[in-house]
């Protein structure tokens, strides 16, 4: 369903993504791994439409998304849960979920939001309180709930487990498995390599803006030593500072 062809992202002279190609099939889970600075966030932001690629093409079900706005891409069925969640902390939980639905014009929106509350009782109990009062894990659930309300066919997530307690990491991965069971394809950027590879069918490893490995998740899991070599900050370099 998603076909990314030779994507390039530049920030001035910094070449963050240097010709990355990848695919995600209907209903598939694909993970993108790589050290800090590998270009994962830049790739996802280009897929979202927040940054304009310097080269390459993005196709969703054969339709060219490359020049579309982020809102138009959400309408086409692809949505990003960004790094650091980026919920609206000055709004209530409910208002955040409504933001996920603002592109929709159908009558099922209220029902979909109730379905989110059924899935996340913590959010239901606090629907009219400020999103700023939620824990980090609850904020991540809200960010995913907001994405689900847009009725995506493909959810992209940028390091969703970052900063979560082990309990919430388990809940997060359980939720992703459920969403995938509902037929939603997932493109997952994760630091938690083993959990990401357990969920995914295939994975790509990026290093300094290029794809260095593309293989089945099973093969990547078996080859943990090789994969890990690309996740610690690059060949012989000091680990990159965490980017927030
Ligand atoms: N807004 C930006 N302006 C300039 N350089 C950036 C910007 N965002 C990221 N970069 C650079 O692009 C490269 C890839 O970063 P990023 O996509 O955030 O990688 P990752 O998500 O894999 O850590 C890094 O060298 C980073 O410093
Ligand atoms: Mg990143």
């Amino acid at each position: 369903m998603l076909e990314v062809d030779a994507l390039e992202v530049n920030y001035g002279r910094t070449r963050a993504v240097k010709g990355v190609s990848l695919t995600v099939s209907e209903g598939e889970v694909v993970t993108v791994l790589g050290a800090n600075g590998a270009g994962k966030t830049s790739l996802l932001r280009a897929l979202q439409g927040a940054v304009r690629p310097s080269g390459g093409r993005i196709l969703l079900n054969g339709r060219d998304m490359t020049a579309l706005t982020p809102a138009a891409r959400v309408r086409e069925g692809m949505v990003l849960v960004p790094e650091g969640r980026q919920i609206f902390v000055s709004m209530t939980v409910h208002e955040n979920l409504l933001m996920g639905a603002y592109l929709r014009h159908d009558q099922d929106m209220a029902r979909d939001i109730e379905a989110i509350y059924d899935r996340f009782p913590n959010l239901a109990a606090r629907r009219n309180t400020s999103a700023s009062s939620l824990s980090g894990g609850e904020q991540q659930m809200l960010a995913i709930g907001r994405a689900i309300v847009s009725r995506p066919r493909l959810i992209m997530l940028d390091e969703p487990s970052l900063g979560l307690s082990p309990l919430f990491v388990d809940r997060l991965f359980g939720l992703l498995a459920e969403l995938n069971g509902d037929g939603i394809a997932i493109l997952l950027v994760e630091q938690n390599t083993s959990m990401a590879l357990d969920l995914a069918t295939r994975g790509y490893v990026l290093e300094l803006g290029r794809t260095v490995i593309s293989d089945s998740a099973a093969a990547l899991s078996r080859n943990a030593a090789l994969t890990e070599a690309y996740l610690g900050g690059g060949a012989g370099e000091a680990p990159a500072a965490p980017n927030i």
Side-chain angles (χ1 to χ4, degrees), residues 176-201:
L176 296 181
E178 274 176 46
L179 295 178
N180 184 239
D182 293 341
I184 301 176
I186 297 175
L187 182 60
L188 176 64
V189 166
E190 250 300 324
Q191 295 282 344
N192 193 326
T193 307
S194 63
M195 290 186 86
L197 289 174
D198 279 350
L199 185 69
T201 51

Side-chain angles (χ1 to χ4, degrees), residues 138-222:
E138 289 166 342
Q139 290 189 2
Q140 185 60 270
M141 297 303 162
L142 178 59
I144 295 172
R146 188 178 64 187
I148 298 169
V149 173
S150 73
R151 291 218 170 163
R153 299 303 304 150
L154 168 69
I155 292 189
M156 304 176 283
L157 302 106
D158 195 354
E159 311 218 3
S161 77
L162 202 69
L164 301 192
S165 66
L167 176 70
F168 261 111
V169 172
D170 283 346
R171 286 185 61 186
L172 167 72
F173 276 90
L175 169 64
L176 296 181
E178 274 176 46
L179 295 178
N180 184 239
D182 293 341
I184 301 176
I186 297 175
L187 182 60
L188 176 64
V189 166
E190 250 300 324
Q191 295 282 344
N192 193 326
T193 307
S194 63
M195 290 186 86
L197 289 174
D198 279 350
L199 185 69
T201 51
R202 290 185 303 112
Y204 297 84
V205 180
L206 302 189
E207 187 188 43
L208 300 175
R210 293 185 207 281
T211 306
V212 287
I213 308 177
S214 158
D215 213 333
S216 70
L220 288 170
S221 295
R222 279 195 302 273

Side-chain angles (χ1 to χ4, degrees), residues 10-61:
N10 297 335
Y11 304 104
R13 283 190 200 159
T14 304
R15 297 178 63 208
V17 179
K18 305 169 187 167
V20 168
S21 298
L22 62 83
T23 58
V24 181
S25 300
E26 189 80 39
E28 196 183 17
V29 181
V30 172
T31 186
V32 174
L33 308 171
N36 276 320
K40 306 178 300 296
T41 294
S42 301
L43 169 67
L44 290 187
R45 285 173 56 76
L47 296 180
Q48 176 196 28
V51 300
R52 185 167 290 274
S54 319
R57 273 198 325 167
I58 301 157
L59 301 179
L60 188 72
N61 297 322

